[in-house]
Amino acid sequence: METVVGVEGNDEANLDHMAAVKTSPTPSSPTEIADPVVYTLVRVDGDGRLVPATDDEVMQVEDLLEDDKSEIHTVADTGQNVGCASSDGFPSSNSQFDGSEALILSKKNIPGQPERPEEVVEAANGQHDAGVGLGELNAGPEETVPLIAKSDDGRIDQPESGGECSNPLAIENGSPVSSVCTNSKPDFSKLKGEICLDNLSVRELHETFKATFGRETSVKDKQWLKRRIAMGLTNSCDFSTTAFVIKDNKVVMKKGKEVIENVDGALAGVSTVEAVNENCGGSLIGCNGQVENLQKYSGERLGNSSLEHDISVEDQQTDQRAAKRRRKPTRRYIEELSEVESKEYGGKLISSVQSSEDGQSPLISHVRPIRHTQSNGRPVVTRQDSLGGSGVQVPYVCRVRRSRPRENFMSLMKLQPSSMGMATKLVKKALGARGARQGNQIGNKVFKARSVSAWIQKPLVTESEKEEHYQVRKASELENDAELKHVDSSGDYSDDYIVSVPTEKGGMRRKHHRPWTLSEVVKLVEGVARYGAGRWSEIKRLAFASYSYRTSVDLKDKWRNLLRASFAQSPSDKGMQSSRKHASVPIPAAILLRVRELAEIQAQVPPNISSSKFAAYSSTNVHETRSGYL
DNA sequence: CTTAGGG
DNA sequence: CCCTAAG
């Protein structure tokens, strides 16, 4: 039972997706037995095709590895089961593999090779991004998943006739790859056989691009298109590790990429698999930072990307970036981009989960999804993770919060016995550290629900938090029940903060939503009146001191909404009560009116002056307003 | 860390 | 409400 599970590197490297080529152990090779790292060769042929390496080539590579292992930077001992060709590594410098060939390096885990706890954690929550992708590539042990595809729309050359593409490994429908992609957007049915990218026109490249990525592209640049397609066809591997280089209309892969293969399913360390460039530090070259650049600047540096230079491409990119400072693409952008590429692996996590009931989940082994139903009837999907022998079920999360968890959760952490650091981390990551505003409730809930409490104490509610609850409750005394529900002193905040939650009215409420109460709104308005819009942290500190769950951003957002509402409502001034759909807290027209006033005031006078000038007026006015409604 | 804006 | 870029 092999399980190929790809795992993203770390939180900061979400864009990494597993390499696509599943290599097979060749048990017959003594080298591999001796060496825990198995490198399998895949050749990128001169015309851009990928063909499996011949035995001879494999042997050559193995020789290379023997000759100079330092050329390959394997960083297993630093926690990364990643092999990367160094900048002076053989793909470019070794004449035997120059130009048109590239290596795809693969390392398989060897039983007994310890995995760092880190990796366990990463593996646990990285499966969404990467594991899904690799699962489908889990072909037979002796099989190298073909990565070549060609369009069958007839307009694409059939290179076999030319003799160059004489060794096509067609991806037929029903093959391990395409069969899993049935749910995905990219239409692989159009990609059969192989593509000699350099023979394609721009239009054809567009077609291919669409078939590959499931989306259109407007890029006219043939080189770029070819690069992208080649990348996509090689299973959307990570840019940074793949780094195709186009030379003379040939797609050449610059660096090896990595597939980790869990040969031994029973490996104690768990699903183990590590991902590629978890970081780019050290001697590893080509890493995350270049992803954006490759896309962004590829058009600009076409002339430069000859093979001889491709190693220094990063420098060039760096230079260019320095020369022209641009706003860095958001992480979301990058993620979405890489997400598109990963889609060709078919089912996202969601679909895997959904298919778990019929046993078709591509996630095998340790990451088998389990569907639970809580007492309240809400389905909770978790997965079983073997962690230190004890089964730990952690909820699935699609995306992990990448920034530091909020303090509340940290306080939870502090309450835990030190021995469960790993589990804490796991759970924390699994939770994405979301809901830390209600950190205790969350953690509490999860731990209780998942029965991992054996080694995780139920977190205590600190005194300050009790106080907090009390204050909230007190402040909400005049509010409607909806609010009271949430501040129920029992501390049971329900699951409202885990995922979206069905409301009483059947709707779906957002994750950590806490309805704004009227008094909160009033406080906000008052605060804005007093301190001026924009001084959110000040308002938060002074007017919302007891509302720990309202961040300054929340205040800002709410104010924004209030403004919108007030300006939208102002003309009619009536009929809004009905127009609000889920009007849990209908905002009285008077308040909206006040909001509008303030908005106008703030717009006219700079905040610093207006704050004092209108303080008295604002205050009284708001209080009047409030008295009328409370 | 805070603010401003987009999602 | 979330996320992130900027300051």
Side-chain angles (χ1 to χ4, degrees), chain A residues 156-157 195-202 204-205 208 222:
Chain A
I156 293 182
D157 275 10
I195 292 174
C196 290
L197 295 173
D198 44 312
N199 292 333
L200 304 185
S201 67
V202 172
E204 289 166 333
L205 284 170
T208 311
K222 277 179 112 175

Side-chain angles (χ1 to χ4, degrees), chain A residues 437-438 472 476 479-487 493-494 496-497 503-505 509-521 544 547 549-550 554 558 561 582-587:
Chain A
R437 289 176 185 179
Q438 268 71 41
V472 171
S476 312
E479 304 304 325
N480 54 37
D481 335 52
E483 174 68 6
L484 288 176
K485 255 186 236 169
H486 291 284
V487 283
Y493 276 60
S494 77
D496 289 11
Y497 307 102
T503 62
E504 311 75 35
K505 297 176 181 177
R509 197 173 51 198
R510 280 265 220 81
K511 281 181 185 174
H512 310 117
H513 183 51
R514 199 154 201 161
W516 276 75
T517 67
L518 210 52
S519 74
E520 281 177 312
V521 171
F544 284 79
Y547 298 77
Y549 46 87
R550 301 287 185 214
D554 293 331
K558 183 59 180 177
N561 289 337
H582 296 303
S584 55
V585 185
I587 300 184

Side-chain angles (χ1 to χ4, degrees), chain A residues 409-538:
Chain A
F409 204 101
M410 298 315 286
S411 69
L412 165 68
M413 295 300 107
K414 282 190 286 188
L415 295 171
Q416 309 312 319
S418 59
S419 62
M420 49 69 68
M422 193 161 79
T424 299
K425 200 168 180 181
L426 182 108
V427 173
K428 178 182 71 181
K429 288 213 173 193
L431 284 171
R434 278 284 182 110
R437 289 176 185 179
Q438 268 71 41
N440 277 337
Q441 288 80 17
I442 296 287
N444 202 341
K445 197 102 199 149
V446 170
F447 290 138
K448 274 193 292 189
R450 305 292 163 259
S451 59
V452 281
S453 53
W455 47 318
I456 298 175
Q457 281 183 4
K458 177 178 171 181
L460 308 171
V461 177
T462 65
E463 211 52 35
S464 65
E465 280 156 347
K466 282 180 184 170
E467 174 71 9
E468 190 175 297
H469 293 171
Y470 171 72
Q471 288 180 350
V472 171
R473 184 190 187 87
K474 182 180 173 188
S476 312
E477 276 172 358
L478 298 177
E479 304 304 325
N480 54 37
D481 335 52
E483 174 68 6
L484 288 176
K485 255 186 236 169
H486 291 284
V487 283
D488 191 344
S489 60
S490 70
D492 185 344
Y493 276 60
S494 77
D495 300 345
D496 289 11
Y497 307 102
I498 293 187
V499 196
S500 60
V501 159
T503 62
E504 311 75 35
K505 297 176 181 177
M508 222 47 172
R509 197 173 51 198
R510 280 265 220 81
K511 281 181 185 174
H512 310 117
H513 183 51
R514 199 154 201 161
W516 276 75
T517 67
L518 210 52
S519 74
E520 281 177 312
V521 171
V522 169
K523 272 183 184 276
L524 174 61
V525 171
E526 188 178 351
V528 170
R530 208 192 303 260
Y531 310 107
R535 319 265 280 240
W536 304 119
S537 63
E538 198 140 330

Side-chain angles (χ1 to χ4, degrees), chain A residues 42-302:
Chain A
V42 172
R43 184 159 52 87
V44 179
D45 215 328
D47 49 21
R49 294 172 299 118
L50 291 180
V51 295
T54 65
D55 287 347
D56 285 346
E57 288 166 338
V58 172
M59 292 308 293
Q60 292 178 59
V61 176
E62 285 173 352
D63 290 340
L64 287 174
L65 294 175
E66 289 294 311
D67 290 343
D68 190 356
K69 287 188 179 179
S70 65
E71 295 282 340
I72 300 281
H73 293 244
T74 55
V75 285
D77 46 351
T78 62
Q80 302 173 68
N81 306 332
V82 182
C84 274
S86 68
S87 57
D88 54 347
F90 41 78
S92 60
S93 66
N94 197 300
S95 60
Q96 295 180 68
F97 295 94
D98 66 335
S100 59
E101 295 176 349
L103 295 175
I104 293 179
L105 303 179
S106 166
K107 180 198 167 194
K108 70 179 179 182
N109 284 312
I110 300 303
Q113 188 169 16
E115 297 291 339
R116 292 200 316 172
E118 285 286 334
E119 294 169 352
V120 174
V121 175
E122 306 295 356
N125 72 77
Q127 58 164 322
H128 165 61
D129 278 328
V132 174
L134 282 185
E136 291 82 33
L137 292 177
N138 190 16
E142 297 299 333
E143 179 181 356
T144 296
V145 173
L147 296 171
I148 324 306
K150 81 182 170 194
S151 166
D152 65 350
D153 62 8
R155 281 180 298 162
I156 293 182
D157 275 10
Q158 303 299 313
E160 300 99 85
S161 58
E164 274 195 296
C165 306
S166 55
N167 186 20
L169 282 174
I171 297 178
E172 302 291 347
N173 289 335
S175 75
V177 171
S178 59
S179 63
V180 194
C181 296
T182 47
N183 289 334
S184 67
K185 222 171 153 192
D187 183 8
F188 267 89
S189 65
K190 288 189 174 181
L191 295 174
K192 278 199 292 186
E194 57 186 337
I195 292 174
C196 290
L197 295 173
D198 44 312
N199 292 333
L200 304 185
S201 67
V202 172
R203 187 175 159 215
E204 289 166 333
L205 284 170
H206 278 185
E207 291 264 343
T208 311
F209 185 96
K210 189 181 179 184
T212 306
F213 297 108
R215 64 185 168 100
E216 308 270 5
T217 180
S218 58
V219 177
K220 302 288 193 300
D221 182 351
K222 277 179 112 175
Q223 308 284 53
W224 186 90
L225 288 167
K226 281 187 274 190
R227 188 205 310 270
R228 293 296 303 240
I229 293 166
M231 212 88 72
L233 293 182
T234 35
N235 288 308
S236 72
C237 48
D238 173 66
F239 268 80
S240 51
T241 40
T242 313
F244 273 84
V245 173
I246 307 286
K247 179 191 181 182
D248 297 337
N249 284 336
K250 292 172 182 175
V251 180
V252 177
M253 195 160 60
K254 161 185 160 191
K255 283 174 257 176
K257 60 181 180 173
E258 177 75 351
V259 173
I260 306 298
E261 179 179 349
N262 191 351
V263 175
D264 185 353
L267 198 54
V270 183
S271 347
T272 78
V273 186
E274 229 321 305
V276 193
N277 16 287
E278 139 164 47
N279 71 59
C280 306
S283 53
L284 293 181
I285 61 168
C287 284
N288 300 334
Q290 281 97 43
V291 173
E292 59 192 80
N293 294 328
L294 276 172
Q295 300 167 70
K296 218 168 160 183
Y297 295 108
S298 58
E300 304 172 14
R301 57 176 190 83
L302 286 177

Side-chain angles (χ1 to χ4, degrees), chain A residues 609-622:
Chain A
I609 304 178
S610 69
S611 57
S612 58
K613 182 177 177 182
F614 296 97
Y617 167 71
S618 308
S619 177
T620 53
N621 188 306
V622 168

